[in-house]
Amino acid sequence: MNTFTNPKSSLKNKLTGYVLPIVSCLLFASSSFAHTLYIQSSRYHVHEGKQFPLFFCYGHHIPVSDGVRAKKLNNIKVHAPSGEVKEIQIRDETSLHSYMVDYKTPGTYVLTAETNPGYYTIYIDKKGREHHVIKPKNLVEAKAQKIITSLYCNQYTKTYVVCDTPSPEFPARVDLALELVPTKDISTLKPGDTLELSVWSNGKPYNGEGSWDASYSGYSTKAEDMFYKETTVSSGDPLKIPIPKSGRWFIRYSTNTDATGEALNSCNQLKQAASLVFQL
């Protein structure tokens, strides 16, 4: 007896066979990094006595992606040219967390933020399905066939805003636990220049291994599609990043160290990430 096969069903099955692996790859590509936090200003050259908002990019798409949960943010600070540091009270909401900044005096302001540490685990369950969760690995091990990635993450971000004229002494470093530090006043950069950044960790120059990538607003609408692809560096030499065009630039640097002792019960690696936004 001949069996009739509906051509439409056959085509649908074939398409499903092609599409599902592609979708799976895309989902993995856009989720293989924990969400990145970037702090931004609505303007980067402002005038004395005026107020302008800061806000965030959080996620995989530049310049703006997902809302940030209040519980994810540990602090948001405004470092004034005088050295005074004002901490902003974080609203209990999920949003871009926009807050007005009062630029009272001329000089260079530094806007910073830090996340509360959190877990990020990718695992395969016993039916072969992949899961991405913000939980420590010990909470999913019982139902996991394999742990692919298990991280404990901290993030630090900053940006510089000039009020009328830059500060005589550029406030390159503000003592974040992991920080990208320009070797000269970032407001003097012009298209075609090379940006030099040193990496500092816990108040000291960092000489270990790390990875960086960078992009600018308008380069791509795809998730994690950066103008400068991820590059691993392992010396204490400054990062040298050519800036070929004007615009708003986003730079990310991260370190991974193997967990030891009790930390190994909940994660495999400790991850720190620093980001920097500037405009020229």
Side-chain angles (χ1 to χ4, degrees), residues 117-215:
Y119 293 97
Y120 179 65
T121 301
I122 304 173
Y123 72 95
I124 304 294
D125 69 18
K126 293 178 180 178
K127 294 184 178 180
R129 297 171 298 194
E130 185 175 287
H131 299 267
H132 299 244
V133 296
I134 49 175
K135 296 178 181 178
K137 70 176 184 178
N138 59 296
L139 294 187
V140 301
E141 279 179 321
K143 51 188 175 183
Q145 177 190 124
K146 180 182 180 182
I147 303 290
I148 298 175
T149 298
S150 182
L151 303 173
Y152 184 64
C153 307
N154 280 288
Q155 294 192 53
Y156 310 90
T157 182
K158 71 176 180 180
T159 193
Y160 300 94
V161 179
V162 173
C163 178
D164 289 326
T165 57
S167 295
E169 184 175 341
F170 178 59
R173 187 166 63 89
V174 289
D175 290 326
L176 300 177
L178 184 67
E179 186 172 3
L180 292 171
V181 179
T183 58
K184 67 176 185 179
D185 190 337
I186 206 164
S187 69
T188 65
L189 278 176
K190 297 180 177 59
D193 287 349
T194 294
L195 170 65
E196 288 194 7
L197 299 168
S198 59
V199 180
W200 286 65
S201 175
N202 296 315
K204 299 178 181 179
Y206 177 70
N207 295 318
E209 184 175 283
S211 298
W212 71 271
D213 52 10
S215 198

Side-chain angles (χ1 to χ4, degrees), residues 59-105:
H60 304 288
H61 297 79
I62 288 174
V64 176
S65 192
D66 299 333
V68 191
R69 291 177 295 115
K71 291 181 179 179
K72 188 62 183 173
L73 292 169
N74 179 277
N75 62 69
I76 304 170
K77 295 179 180 179
V78 177
H79 305 251
S82 63
E84 177 189 5
V85 180
K86 176 185 177 182
E87 186 162 347
I88 291 175
Q89 185 173 352
I90 298 169
R91 294 188 299 268
D92 186 13
E93 62 186 35
T94 299
S95 66
L96 298 182
H97 280 278
S98 179
Y99 300 92
M100 299 302 290
V101 178
D102 190 0
Y103 294 95
K104 296 180 179 180
T105 59

Side-chain angles (χ1 to χ4, degrees), residues 176-280:
L176 300 177
L178 184 67
E179 186 172 3
L180 292 171
V181 179
T183 58
K184 67 176 185 179
D185 190 337
I186 206 164
S187 69
T188 65
L189 278 176
K190 297 180 177 59
D193 287 349
T194 294
L195 170 65
E196 288 194 7
L197 299 168
S198 59
V199 180
W200 286 65
S201 175
N202 296 315
K204 299 178 181 179
Y206 177 70
N207 295 318
E209 184 175 283
S211 298
W212 71 271
D213 52 10
S215 198
Y216 59 87
S217 181
Y219 169 69
S220 176
T221 58
K222 296 178 182 177
E224 294 295 338
D225 184 18
M226 306 290 271
F227 178 72
Y228 287 115
K229 309 309 178 189
E230 186 176 30
T231 301
T232 299
V233 290
S234 57
S235 72
D237 295 335
L239 305 179
K240 296 184 179 182
I241 306 173
I243 307 297
K245 61 176 293 176
S246 60
R248 184 165 298 192
W249 283 81
F250 301 76
I251 300 173
R252 171 174 58 186
Y253 181 91
S254 63
T255 65
N256 282 315
T257 56
D258 291 335
T260 58
E262 291 186 6
L264 196 52
N265 295 325
S266 53
C267 65
N268 293 335
Q269 288 188 311
L270 308 176
K271 180 183 179 72
Q272 284 194 313
S275 66
L276 170 66
V277 178
F278 66 95
Q279 181 172 290
L280 74 156

Side-chain angles (χ1 to χ4, degrees), residues 9-27:
S9 297
S10 178
L11 177 60
K12 181 179 179 181
N13 291 336
K14 287 181 180 178
L15 287 174
T16 300
Y18 288 121
V19 170
L20 285 179
I22 293 172
V23 170
S24 177
C25 289
L26 290 174
L27 286 173

